[in-house]
Amino acid sequence: MKNFLLLFAVMLLSGFSYAQQLPARWDELVASDFSAALEKSSKTCILPIGILEKHGPHSPIGTDLIHVREWAAHAVKSEYAVVFPDYFYGQINEARHQPGTFALPSKVIWDLLEATCDEIARNGFQKIVILNGHGGNPEFIRFFMQSLLNKRHNYAVYFYNPEGSDKEYAEQYRKMHKSPMENDQHAGERETATLLYYRPDLMKMDRAESQSGDNQHRSNLPNIYTPIWWYAAYPNHYAGEGAKATPGFGKFIAEHEIATFVQALKVIKADTSTIKLQNEFYDKVDGLNK
């Protein structure tokens, strides 16, 4: 009888523990748990932004999306925040010549991002953390964020943009990196290694050398920018040597990026100044018209 009661108590406790574990993904929450998720997250929502584009001949079209999705999912196990579902609407016009690319007009991606942030905030979140996985997005994201100051918003957007300040990590990274680092930009060793860690089942490593990821140097205009620069350099939409990637290198990269993002989440969740300063700014703007 005692053993039965003990087993029953364990089952009750485990059931209670399970009930207390809130899903982090927005789409996996039940509506009746949403208020609890808001409280537990300090009203913080992560918006992982990827893209759909060719990633060499060996890595999935959704590499950037898969990367940030897994990155966020691992981070919130240590520091809870609600994770918005898959978002792959960004700037990718330079890859429209490749199959599988999903490139929407600029006005659409702009309006969609603002509407998404507004709707996230309408559901109670005050802090939206953009976690970007696509190299063609930062300029768009920064301009979008600066433009939010054009009218009053009741939320703050944070763009997580890790800098290479960890000297120990950088030194070990250089030691483990096998291909020329200056050309490791898109579907190359670093990006391939990361996906080999997060989703090895999706990788086609036997195809990694079937196309060239070398810079073709088809345009040479010093100090001049043209939108065709990427295509001129990398017509295969592949920059680097993915074949040299290893799962071990990917694990090293992923563990570091997860740990640093967790620290950033802690800082953002504890931040009380950004929204306060925004409101002060909006009030001064409104005061000019009085």
Side-chain angles (χ1 to χ4, degrees), residues 42-60:
S42 300
K43 297 184 178 180
T44 304
C45 181
I46 302 170
L47 177 56
I49 299 181
I51 210 77
L52 298 180
E53 61 169 333
K54 177 185 177 182
H55 272 76
H58 60 289
S59 198

Side-chain angles (χ1 to χ4, degrees), residues 53 94-95 97 185-186 215 218 225-239:
E53 61 169 333
E94 64 272 21
H97 63 299
Q185 300 182 66
H186 181 70
N215 188 335
R218 298 188 300 164
Y225 179 88
T226 69
I228 205 67
W229 75 271
W230 177 262
Y231 177 76
Y234 303 102
N236 290 327
H237 208 60
Y238 180 21

Side-chain angles (χ1 to χ4, degrees), residues 8-284:
F8 182 70
V10 169
M11 290 175 65
L12 279 177
L13 287 172
S14 63
F16 178 77
S17 175
Y18 176 78
Q20 294 300 100
Q21 294 176 1
L22 285 171
R25 279 184 61 107
W26 181 309
D27 53 326
E28 293 180 0
L29 284 162
V30 295
S32 53
D33 278 339
F34 211 82
S35 60
L38 283 169
E39 181 179 357
K40 188 174 181 180
S41 69
S42 300
K43 297 184 178 180
T44 304
C45 181
I46 302 170
L47 177 56
I49 299 181
I51 210 77
L52 298 180
E53 61 169 333
K54 177 185 177 182
H55 272 76
H58 60 289
S59 198
I61 287 169
T63 288
D64 294 340
L65 175 65
I66 295 163
H67 178 198
V68 289
R69 184 172 65 203
E70 294 293 328
W71 188 357
H74 282 70
V76 296
K77 290 178 181 178
S78 299
E79 188 64 33
Y80 186 84
V82 173
V83 182
F84 194 80
D86 299 2
Y87 191 99
F88 49 86
Y89 316 106
Q91 193 296 117
I92 189 54
N93 289 307
E94 64 272 21
R96 292 179 64 236
H97 63 299
Q98 296 289 353
T101 299
F102 191 82
L104 295 175
S106 300
K107 186 179 186 305
V108 173
I109 64 170
W110 181 287
D111 290 346
L112 185 58
L113 183 54
E114 184 172 24
T116 297
C117 289
D118 287 350
E119 190 67 0
I120 289 173
R122 189 188 66 79
N123 277 278
F125 293 99
Q126 295 180 344
K127 300 173 181 180
I128 300 171
V129 186
I130 293 180
L131 184 64
N132 175 54
H134 173 53
N137 274 341
E139 292 85 355
F140 160 64
I141 292 170
R142 289 191 181 95
F143 183 46
F144 167 79
M145 290 176 65
Q146 288 303 125
S147 298
L148 290 177
L149 296 177
N150 191 48
K151 64 180 180 181
R152 187 181 292 269
H153 291 81
N154 62 348
Y155 59 87
V157 178
Y158 302 77
F159 180 24
Y160 177 62
N161 188 32
E163 300 290 343
S165 58
D166 188 333
K167 294 182 179 179
E168 185 177 339
Y169 169 77
E171 182 179 351
Q172 185 61 27
Y173 180 94
R174 285 192 294 269
K175 288 180 180 178
M176 297 179 72
H177 200 282
K178 299 176 182 178
S179 61
M181 291 181 63
E182 64 274 8
N183 196 46
D184 187 12
Q185 300 182 66
H186 181 70
E189 184 180 353
R190 177 191 57 79
E191 203 165 24
T192 298
T194 306
L195 261 287
L196 280 174
Y197 172 74
Y198 283 129
R199 290 299 304 272
D201 55 305
L202 298 177
M203 304 301 287
K204 311 293 183 185
M205 293 304 294
D206 58 319
R207 305 176 193 174
E209 294 181 294
S210 64
Q211 293 179 356
S212 172
D214 293 338
N215 188 335
Q216 303 299 307
H217 297 287
R218 298 188 300 164
S219 178
N220 184 23
L221 302 170
N223 303 317
I224 298 172
Y225 179 88
T226 69
I228 205 67
W229 75 271
W230 177 262
Y231 177 76
Y234 303 102
N236 290 327
H237 208 60
Y238 180 21
E241 298 180 51
K244 292 187 176 179
T246 64
F249 189 34
K251 182 175 185 290
F252 170 74
I253 295 169
E255 288 180 347
H256 181 263
E257 70 179 13
I258 292 165
T260 52
F261 184 49
V262 166
Q263 292 305 309
L265 271 180
K266 291 179 185 290
V267 170
I268 291 169
K269 288 172 68 176
D271 174 43
T272 58
S273 63
T274 301
I275 291 179
K276 180 181 177 180
L277 289 169
Q278 278 187 190
N279 289 333
E280 179 184 306
F281 171 82
Y282 294 136
D283 289 343
K284 288 189 175 183

